[in-house]
């Protein structure tokens, strides 16, 4: 039987709508809109596309978007000074510095300069630590989006075997922490894992976040497994077309005959990231104003 397709695009649209409703309520109570500042250094084409989408989605959700575009040769001191100004600005609830930064800038130093209470990316060590010990903080948008899709599909994850493939600070590690927090039994697999197919075959939940096109094959999967594909990889163009196809880290065509449910690429995890960013920004706004978000709202 073919797997159910997990429609991240529809889920994300629903989340954005809910955020919009609560963003309007926030504006009414606080007398101002929630605000997100996005900082882009340089002209990386993919980053420009992301930043434009974030701007549009923020405005559509009824929030204020502050864009700061800096030249590629910006000195680290100037970038840190901007972050300090945004930390101190009461109209700014969330700060996102688009990564990757040009090579001469120290990403860790820049992330460390962002106030943890405005760190809507959840990249600051304070927020990573809060997640690890189970305190409220900001959780990186992509893994939180994956978790929302998993909870929606499976309900209680207690006791389920979860295998996360990839150990990045942005996806793999926080994903594993979220699954652990939900009482799953969690394995983090990576490039040095022995017998990766054998490890993945144990999993009720597979989260693939390695950045290698179609690496996870159908015969690695336990029948009925729920598969979350975080990968976005562009295949080489076939003759006669100018762009290659976008594929995930999972061989979708094969996997859908074995999995119970699977996210497509595109239209699965991708749309969740911006929707969760808006959610995190609104949560930051409520916290920064000392207001309570309605119970279970987001
Ligand atoms: N670059 C690609 N994805 C992201 C993200 O989620 N946050 C930031 N800050 N940069 C990114």
């Amino acid at each position: 039987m073919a797997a159910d397709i997990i429609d991240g695009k529809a889920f994300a649209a629903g989340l954005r709508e809910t955020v919009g409703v609560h963003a309007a309520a926030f504006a009414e109570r606080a007398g101002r809109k929630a605000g997100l500042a996005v900082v882009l250094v340089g002209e990386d084409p993919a980053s420009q596309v992301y930043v434009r989408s974030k701007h549009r989605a923020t405005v559509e959700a009824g929030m204020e978007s502050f864009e700061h575009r800096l030249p590629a040769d910006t000195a680290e001191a100037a970038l840190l000074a901007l972050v300090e100004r945004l930390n101190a600005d009461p109209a700014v609830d969330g700060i996102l510095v688009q990564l990757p930064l040009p090579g001469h800038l120290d990403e860790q130093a820049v992330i460390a300069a962002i106030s943890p209470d405005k760190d809507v990316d959840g990249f600051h060590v304070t927020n990573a630590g809060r997640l690890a010990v189970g305190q409220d903080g900001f959780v990186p948008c992509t893994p939180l989006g994956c978790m929302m899709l998993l909870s929606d599909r499976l309900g209680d994850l207690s006791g389920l075997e979860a295998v996360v493939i990839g150990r990045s600070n942005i996806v793999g590690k926080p994903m594993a922490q979220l699954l652990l927090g939900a009482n799953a039994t969690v394995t983090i697999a990576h490039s040095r894992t022995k017998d990766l197919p054998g490890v993945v075959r144990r999993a009720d939940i597979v989260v693939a976040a390695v950045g290698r096109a179609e690496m996870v094959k159908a015969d690695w999967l336990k029948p009925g497994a729920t598969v979350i594909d975080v990968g976005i990889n562009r295949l080489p163009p076939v003759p006669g077309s100018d762009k290659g196809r976008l594929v995930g880290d999972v061989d979708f065509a094969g996997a859908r005959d074995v999995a119970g449910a699977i996210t497509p690429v595109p239209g699965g995890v991708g749309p969740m990231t911006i929707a969760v960013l808006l959610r995190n920004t609104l949560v930051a706004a409520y916290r920064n104003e000392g207001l309570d978000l309605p119970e279970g709202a987001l």
Side-chain angles (χ1 to χ4, degrees), residues 50 54 96-100 121 123 273:
Y50 288 138
K54 284 168 189 170
L96 181 147
V97 178
Q98 185 68 28
L99 304 179
D121 258 332
F123 293 169
T273 300

Side-chain angles (χ1 to χ4, degrees), residues 73-99:
D73 63 356
T74 297
E76 189 163 303
L79 178 56
L80 293 174
L82 171 60
V83 169
E84 281 309 326
R85 278 207 307 284
L86 297 173
N87 282 341
D89 185 343
V92 172
D93 296 293
I95 302 170
L96 181 147
V97 178
Q98 185 68 28
L99 304 179

Side-chain angles (χ1 to χ4, degrees), residues 18-255:
T18 307
V19 168
V21 169
H22 293 289
F26 173 85
E28 184 95 344
R29 284 170 72 186
R32 68 171 181 91
K33 290 182 181 178
L36 173 66
V38 175
V39 180
L40 173 63
V41 186
E43 271 140 40
D44 178 68
S47 291
Q48 286 183 327
V49 172
Y50 288 138
V51 166
R52 210 171 307 129
S53 318
K54 284 168 189 170
H55 171 78
R56 198 179 314 124
T58 305
V59 172
E60 272 175 23
M63 303 197 281
E64 207 79 64
S65 167
F66 307 100
E67 255 185 59
H68 295 268
R69 289 168 181 263
L70 305 178
D73 63 356
T74 297
E76 189 163 303
L79 178 56
L80 293 174
L82 171 60
V83 169
E84 281 309 326
R85 278 207 307 284
L86 297 173
N87 282 341
D89 185 343
V92 172
D93 296 293
I95 302 170
L96 181 147
V97 178
Q98 185 68 28
L99 304 179
L101 289 171
H104 68 286
L105 298 169
D106 178 352
E107 285 186 355
Q108 285 308 319
V110 174
I111 291 167
I114 297 171
S115 162
D117 297 330
K118 295 192 177 187
D119 169 38
V120 286
D121 258 332
F123 293 169
H124 194 288
V125 288
T126 298
N127 283 315
R130 286 171 175 160
L131 176 61
V133 299
Q135 291 176 3
D136 275 348
F138 291 107
V139 176
C141 302
T142 300
L144 184 52
C146 294
M147 199 63 190
M148 289 177 180
L149 296 177
L150 281 169
S151 299
D152 182 59
R153 166 80 196 175
L154 296 170
D156 184 9
L157 308 187
S158 287
L160 295 180
E161 287 273 353
V163 172
V164 178
I165 316 173
R167 54 175 158 180
S168 71
N169 290 337
I170 293 178
V171 182
K173 285 182 207 166
M175 188 73 236
Q177 295 285 5
L178 285 168
L179 289 162
L180 191 58
N183 302 312
T185 301
V186 184
T187 302
I188 306 181
H190 48 78
S191 54
R192 307 281 175 91
T193 296
K194 286 185 188 147
D195 185 22
L196 183 58
V199 171
V200 173
R201 222 169 270 130
R202 295 202 300 258
D204 303 303
I205 296 168
V206 179
V207 180
V210 272
R212 290 184 53 185
E214 300 177 323
M215 186 184 82
V216 177
K217 303 299 181 196
D219 67 355
W220 297 20
L221 299 173
K222 174 159 137 180
T226 302
V227 179
I228 304 291
D229 191 348
V230 182
I232 303 178
N233 311 286
R234 197 172 285 283
L235 293 179
V238 292
S241 66
D242 55 346
K243 270 189 181 173
R245 214 160 42 88
L246 279 185
V247 297
D249 292 348
V250 179
D251 172 16
F252 181 82

